[in-house]
């Protein structure tokens, strides 16, 4: 049925490399000038064949963002931008599957950002305060609230 179309062949080639959500695959196919009706039919066919699995995509995406240190709120927001609905409880379940806590992620991110610092970089209260502010901004860019990370930052600095 669809196997001989350019859209089908491109979709299978893309799925062979990585997981896609329906929305992302549709966008990718449209970017290659695939016709809308044919794209919709191919996506439906791939879903029925279970080659296009939204659940696989969600888990892979959550794991990828989690390993980069992003907060569940950020992950949920990022997936919403990709038209994928997921609740934070499911995200936290994946975190617990990998035995990761938010506190541990914060500590790891702080360690990553401060491993290059020397004693001279922290020899005054002004420099330590500046470092704390930078860390808070960095952690907020990862989706954390300042209240979630202040205690951990203060125990380090």
């Amino acid at each position: 049925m669809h196997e001989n179309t350019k859209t089908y062949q491109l979709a299978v080639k893309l799925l062979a490399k990585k997981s896609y959500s329906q929305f992302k695959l549709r966008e990718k196919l449209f970017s290659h000038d695939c016709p809308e009706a044919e794209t919709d039919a191919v996506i439906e066919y791939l879903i029925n064949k279970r080659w296009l699995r939204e659940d696989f995509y969600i888990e892979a995406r959550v794991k990828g963002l989690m390993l980069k240190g992003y907060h569940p709120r950020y992950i949920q927001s990022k997936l919403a931008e990709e038209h994928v609905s997921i609740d934070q409880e499911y995200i936290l379940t994946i975190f617990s599957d990998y035995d990761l806590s938010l506190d541990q992620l914060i500590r790891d991110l702080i360690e990553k950002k401060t491993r290059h610092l020397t004693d001279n970089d922290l020899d005054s209260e002004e420099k330590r305060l500046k470092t704390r502010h930078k860390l808070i901004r960095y952690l907020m860019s990862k989706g954390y609230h300042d209240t979630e990370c202040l205690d951990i930052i203060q125990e380090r600095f």
Side-chain angles (χ1 to χ4, degrees):
M1 171 187 171
H2 301 288
E3 288 86 356
N4 294 326
T5 67
K6 170 191 157 204
T7 303
Y8 173 82
Q9 292 172 355
L10 178 58
V12 170
K13 181 179 175 184
L14 291 168
L15 288 171
K17 293 179 183 176
K18 71 177 194 173
S19 293
Y20 281 86
S21 68
Q22 294 175 40
F23 176 76
K24 285 288 204 180
L25 183 60
R26 183 172 278 111
E27 275 188 333
K28 194 74 165 174
L29 293 173
F30 286 160
S31 74
H32 284 86
D33 298 323
C34 295
E36 185 174 351
E38 190 175 296
T39 296
D40 292 341
V42 165
I43 287 176
E44 190 64 35
Y45 179 75
L46 294 171
I47 290 169
N48 290 335
K49 288 286 224 179
R50 301 188 51 79
W51 293 351
L52 180 57
R53 301 273 310 265
E54 199 89 355
D55 54 335
F56 285 179
Y57 174 76
I58 290 170
E59 189 167 337
R61 193 74 168 110
V62 169
K63 283 192 288 193
L65 292 169
M66 173 190 70
L67 293 174
K68 290 180 180 178
Y70 287 101
H71 190 281
R73 264 188 312 272
Y74 180 93
I75 294 170
Q76 185 181 34
S77 169
K78 195 69 171 166
L79 286 170
E81 289 174 10
E82 299 173 11
H83 299 259
V84 175
S85 178
I86 183 173
D87 63 6
Q88 280 192 35
E89 289 303 315
Y90 181 69
I91 296 170
L92 291 171
T93 300
I94 294 173
F95 273 56
S96 68
D97 289 348
Y98 285 84
D99 204 24
L100 282 175
S101 70
L102 295 179
D103 285 355
Q104 187 56 49
L105 282 175
I106 291 169
R107 283 184 177 83
D108 292 348
L109 290 169
I110 290 171
E111 176 61 30
K112 176 183 170 187
K113 278 302 200 189
T114 60
R115 68 175 58 127
H116 71 283
L117 295 177
T118 64
D119 289 340
N120 290 340
D121 295 323
L122 303 170
D123 63 359
S124 72
E125 184 58 33
E126 181 182 338
K127 289 179 181 179
R128 283 191 296 278
L129 186 61
K130 186 176 179 182
T131 300
R132 282 194 295 261
H133 285 286
K134 282 182 179 180
L135 286 171
I136 290 170
R137 284 192 307 274
Y138 172 67
L139 291 167
M140 289 177 73
S141 77
K142 296 280 190 178
Y144 296 89
H145 286 296
D146 56 354
T147 55
E148 293 173 309
C149 44
L150 275 175
D151 290 340
I152 297 171
I153 290 173
Q154 286 181 335
E155 84 186 31
R156 173 78 166 84
F157 298 98

